[in-house]
Amino acid sequence: MPSEKVLKDKQQVVADLKSKLEGAVAGVLVDYKGITVANDTKLRRELREANVEYSVVKNTLLRFAMKDVGYEELCGVLENTTALAISHDDPVAAAKILAKYAEESKGSFSLKAGFVEGKTLDQAGVSALAKLPSKEQLLVQLLSVLNGNIRGLAVALNAIAEKQTEQASA
């Protein structure tokens, strides 16, 4: 039986994990087995720049936090080595970075599962999420489409005005 201090420490870790999960827009679970220190440092830097929180977690403690938050479906993948990447802003940032790294590492680092806005995702779902454009890219595409329509309207109105001017002078 663990001492009372150890038990309180573990309960605090679970409470911290629970609050992080509740405040997250998206999260990804990965198996980090086989990653080198240099690659891990590079990966952590890239995640930090994208405002993604990345940490290695104990499966049993994460399992308690997942159940408290309502992500029981993800408990099935909590085996072997597990790291959790949580994004508070961009729903695709963590998935995009980790999927790219998993593809480059060829099996030693793999995606397990994830969640986005309260919905759980399996490994294929996380991979599909990673292929989506980021929020900024979507906004640029939307503005481009809107700008094209406005430009077309301006050209059409200008053509009508020129035609009326030609008819008035004739």
Side-chain angles (χ1 to χ4, degrees):
M1 189 78 186
S3 71
E4 192 171 321
K5 181 187 182 311
V6 171
L7 189 60
K8 283 187 178 186
D9 289 345
K10 288 183 179 184
Q11 288 172 341
Q12 183 60 45
V13 170
V14 170
D16 291 344
L17 280 170
K18 181 181 171 187
S19 68
K20 287 178 184 181
L21 290 169
E22 288 174 338
V25 173
V28 178
L29 296 167
V30 295
D31 184 351
Y32 64 90
K33 178 180 56 212
I35 189 171
T36 64
V37 173
N39 287 340
D40 186 51
T41 304
K42 178 183 164 192
L43 175 66
R44 286 176 185 267
R45 183 180 325 113
E46 194 173 341
L47 288 167
R48 210 174 14 259
E49 289 170 358
N51 199 24
V52 174
E53 189 178 334
Y54 178 80
S55 59
V56 173
V57 292
K58 289 190 173 202
N59 290 329
T60 53
L61 299 178
L62 185 57
R63 189 172 289 117
F64 286 124
M66 291 281 190
K67 286 180 181 177
D68 286 348
V69 176
Y71 294 140
E72 293 91 9
E73 299 89 20
L74 298 178
C75 292
V77 299
L78 296 177
E79 297 173 355
N80 301 323
T81 57
T82 303
L84 173 65
I86 295 175
S87 177
H88 297 284
D89 304 326
D90 188 358
V92 297
K96 210 177 251 316
I97 294 167
L98 293 170
K100 180 183 84 169
Y101 189 79
E103 193 174 300
E104 290 172 358
S105 68
K106 309 240 188 298
S108 63
F109 182 92
S110 62
L111 301 173
K112 287 184 173 185
F115 62 91
V116 63
E117 296 179 352
K119 295 188 176 24
T120 59
L121 304 170
D122 59 358
Q123 183 180 6
V126 174
S127 296
L129 180 65
K131 293 175 184 168
L132 291 175
S134 70
K135 184 177 181 180
E136 289 79 23
Q137 290 170 328
L138 288 172
L139 287 173
V140 166
Q141 290 174 357
L142 175 65
L143 291 175
S144 174
V145 167
L146 292 175
N147 194 24
N149 289 339
I150 292 171
R151 185 182 164 281
L153 178 63
V155 168
L157 291 174
N158 189 36
I160 292 171
E162 286 177 4
K163 187 174 182 181
Q164 288 178 349
T165 305
E166 287 176 10
Q167 288 177 352
S169 63

